[in-house]
Amino acid sequence: MTGDRILAIDVGTQSVRVLVFDPRGVLVAHVRIPIEPYVSPQPGWAEQDPEIYWTAIGQACAGVWARGLARPAEIAGVALTTQRGTVVVTDEAGRPLRPAIVWLDQRRAEGIPPIGGINGLAFRAVGVARTVAAFQADCEANWIRANEPAVWRATRHYLLLSGFLTRRLTGRFVDSVASQVGYIPFDYKRLAWAKAGDWRWTAAPVDPAWVPELVKPTDALGELTTEAAAALGLRAGTPVIAAAADKACEVLGSGALEPHIGSLSYGTTATINTTQRRYVEAIPLVPPYPAAVPGAYSLEAQVYRGYWLVDWFKRQFGAREVAQADELGIAPEALFDDLVRSTEPGSMGLLIQPTWTPGVRIPGPEAKGAMIGFGGVHTRAHVYRAILEGLAYALREGGERGAARAKTPLRELRVSGGGAQSPAAVQLTADIFGLPVGAPHTHETSGLGAAIDASVGLGLHASIESAVGDMTRLAETVDPDPARHRLYDELYRKVYRRMYARLKPLYEDIMQITGYPPS
């Protein structure tokens, strides 16, 4: 080992970032390469050439070395974290057979026979048959098998994006246990591939020989091959250490190791996660995901396309602020925060239910978004504030559901993701939850979480706990305002919590009449 710095590769939906951290968690170097999130050959499809991700990794590494903020000789090891649920199928040599199916893809496999036998009876008895059917319809393997039989016959490796890129880095078909999030035959309780004969192999009909070997976070995935080392500008043989999927790494990078700390991620999908040492399902048959902590679970509630709503607002109503920010050379969020500050907490009674995209069970597949309480006083500033409030309400609801199941109340929050860079959004979150919100010292919590795993695997820290203690800290803590919390708490309990149940019958009628969303 020639150095003590860690190169973390963070492959997101809209960009690829390469970050260099030292053993204290200081971000030494950072290069971001924007990428096209996906292409849509047909409505609802989201695909991308897997080579785009690999090319962007090389470009980002070249940028790090060109800027001189870090030197290749200082790098002790490499860690990888990626977007979740993006599928790549390859031939025997690891060459992609078709574009990657990105996690935002909405195609569905139609006409899949329901799970039969004892499992099918059990699913119907406990009321989760619909959930299992949704899993089957959303499973990319079912769609490829039914619609692209030639690709299916040629498939020899069925990988998530993390596994595909790990193959490019190490030459091995191996992946981290904690990257396994998707419609795959994975046993989330055992943190391993499902056993032979398990219903998951029927629901996701993948040949067991096609899935990669799994290793736990902090263990070695392999070493950089000569080809990969040349692409990254590093020495061949540099260790590659298993980390986790991006959300799990965000939880670790924010320092949320204990179940009473909620980790909020204000990203394309807004989430609240807690780290659990025991297996807890907040909703039956909707499992917790693997944590970036070996052997632990990340109990998660999602708001699908959460901060996509913020981008939607910017596109539809925010041209003025976007243009002004460009002229001033500042981030548009600074001006959008002014919209929030120009309005009162509670948005003068305007409430938004941010269920723009259906879920598996909560919200159900009939879900749509809703805005209620409009009046003549409302402006676009109220709409923007109501979007942020609606997302915080939804995350609070999901966090409370998980906390009740885990029997551990939330006592504090950490916040990551793009929305975390908005002071107004952070304050509003603290006020709605009624809890202090800590902002980590870096916005790059996903990359930092990957670096924490690598630091333990490389022996730079003795344990996850000591690594988190040395590499994470809070830049600030925002406390809730008691008066605002009382207002929000009343709106949340008396109005927001009742909205979905009241509107669900209407959503179902809309679905039956219009056919959208598909049943």
Side-chain angles (χ1 to χ4, degrees):
M1 187 181 299
T2 58
D4 63 355
R5 294 183 173 182
I6 299 154
L7 187 140
I9 301 168
D10 185 352
V11 181
T13 306
Q14 302 182 67
S15 68
V16 171
R17 297 186 295 280
V18 166
L19 312 107
V20 178
F21 290 95
D22 73 8
R24 289 284 300 160
V26 175
L27 182 58
V28 176
H30 170 208
V31 171
R32 175 182 182 272
I33 303 295
I35 58 174
E36 189 72 22
Y38 58 84
V39 295
S40 295
Q42 295 189 37
W45 291 22
E47 299 187 341
Q48 188 53 274
D49 178 0
E51 295 299 331
I52 284 179
Y53 304 109
W54 179 248
T55 299
I57 290 171
Q59 291 172 344
C61 286
V64 168
W65 316 135
R67 294 183 185 184
L69 298 174
R71 294 181 294 110
E74 298 172 324
I75 303 302
V78 175
L80 171 71
T81 182
T82 74
Q83 56 183 271
R84 306 183 303 188
T86 292
V87 170
V88 183
V89 294
T90 79
D91 63 12
E92 187 63 48
R95 293 182 292 262
L97 295 170
R98 66 171 328 279
I101 300 179
V102 178
W103 66 273
L104 286 163
D105 192 277
Q106 296 180 44
R107 78 190 77 185
R108 294 170 65 84
E110 305 296 343
I112 305 298
I115 301 293
I118 294 176
N119 285 324
L121 291 172
F123 293 150
R124 289 191 291 275
V126 298
V128 297
R130 191 175 182 182
T131 302
V132 176
F135 177 101
Q136 292 178 275
D138 289 332
C139 176
E140 296 85 356
N142 281 318
W143 189 91
I144 296 171
R145 185 174 67 167
N147 294 276
E148 297 179 345
V151 169
W152 192 250
R153 287 193 297 271
T155 296
R156 292 298 176 270
H157 297 283
Y158 192 90
L159 308 168
L160 297 178
L161 180 60
S162 52
F164 171 75
L165 293 175
T166 298
R167 161 70 175 177
R168 296 300 296 267
L169 291 168
T170 67
R172 302 179 62 211
F173 290 104
V174 62
D175 200 0
S176 172
V177 166
S179 293
Q180 306 313 300
V181 178
Y183 300 104
I184 50 177
F186 185 76
D187 186 331
Y188 290 93
K189 186 173 186 177
R190 294 176 51 249
L191 298 174
W193 294 118
K195 293 181 179 180
D198 190 286
W199 66 271
R200 296 171 183 86
W201 293 104
T202 302
V206 176
D207 188 321
W210 296 354
V211 298
E213 175 190 349
L214 298 180
V215 302
K216 72 180 190 299
T218 73
D219 280 358
L221 292 164
E223 299 177 343
L224 289 182
T225 65
T226 301
E227 180 182 9
L232 274 59
L234 294 171
R235 63 178 178 83
T238 299
V240 181
I241 306 298
D246 54 4
K247 295 292 185 184
C249 281
E250 281 185 358
V251 177
L252 183 59
S254 68
L257 274 182
E258 300 301 325
H260 70 271
I261 304 175
S263 176
L264 297 170
S265 175
Y266 285 145
T268 305
T269 293
T271 58
I272 180 167
N273 293 68
T274 55
T275 300
Q276 306 286 337
R277 264 50 179 199
R278 63 187 181 89
Y279 182 85
V280 178
E281 292 181 353
I283 304 169
L285 216 67
V286 178
Y289 297 135
V293 179
Y297 305 93
S298 189
L299 184 58
E300 177 174 299
Q302 299 181 349
V303 182
Y304 294 96
R305 293 202 175 191
Y307 261 70
W308 171 87
L309 274 173
V310 174
D311 291 333
W312 169 83
F313 179 89
K314 290 178 183 178
R315 291 193 303 272
Q316 302 299 327
F317 306 108
R320 181 194 311 169
E321 284 76 16
V322 171
Q324 186 179 356
D326 188 55
E327 291 177 5
L328 297 174
I330 61 176
E333 283 72 18
L335 300 181
F336 284 105
D337 271 8
D338 289 341
L339 291 180
V340 178
R341 285 188 283 267
S342 72
T343 55
E344 298 179 0
S347 303
M348 298 292 288
L350 184 65
L351 273 80
I352 287 180
Q353 181 182 303
T355 51
W356 257 242
T357 299
V360 177
R361 298 204 70 191
I362 300 178
E366 78 292 330
K368 289 183 177 293
M371 299 185 189
I372 66 171
F374 271 111
V377 299
H378 291 120
T379 66
R380 67 192 185 99
H382 291 99
V383 174
Y384 183 70
R385 183 179 191 117
I387 287 173
L388 297 183
E389 290 173 342
L391 289 169
Y393 287 141
L395 290 171
R396 176 179 168 180
E397 184 176 31
E400 288 178 349
R401 186 186 307 118
R405 293 282 293 177
K407 296 181 174 58
T408 305
L410 294 175
R411 297 203 296 272
E412 59 181 294
L413 303 173
R414 307 286 166 81
V415 65
S416 303
Q421 300 179 50
S422 163
V426 174
Q427 181 65 63
L428 179 152
T429 299
D431 294 339
I432 286 178
F433 275 82
L435 296 172
V437 178
H441 74 281
T442 176
H443 295 302
E444 298 291 351
T445 50
S446 183
L448 177 58
I452 288 171
D453 275 332
S455 75
V456 176
L458 294 166
L460 301 175
H461 290 95
S463 67
I464 288 287
E465 289 74 17
S466 64
V468 167
D470 284 348
M471 297 178 73
T472 71
R473 48 203 165 272
L474 298 180
E476 64 172 335
T477 299
V478 175
D479 291 316
D481 177 273
R484 290 196 293 263
H485 175 62
R486 285 193 293 272
L487 170 70
Y488 279 132
D489 195 56
E490 197 166 6
L491 285 170
Y492 171 72
R493 295 184 183 281
K494 292 185 177 180
V495 184
Y496 183 84
R497 288 284 303 270
R498 299 179 181 182
M499 284 175 67
Y500 182 69
R502 298 284 181 89
L503 292 171
K504 183 178 178 180
L506 300 180
Y507 293 154
E508 291 174 339
D509 287 342
I510 292 171
M511 183 170 67
Q512 291 300 319
I513 294 167
T514 67
Y516 177 81
S519 175

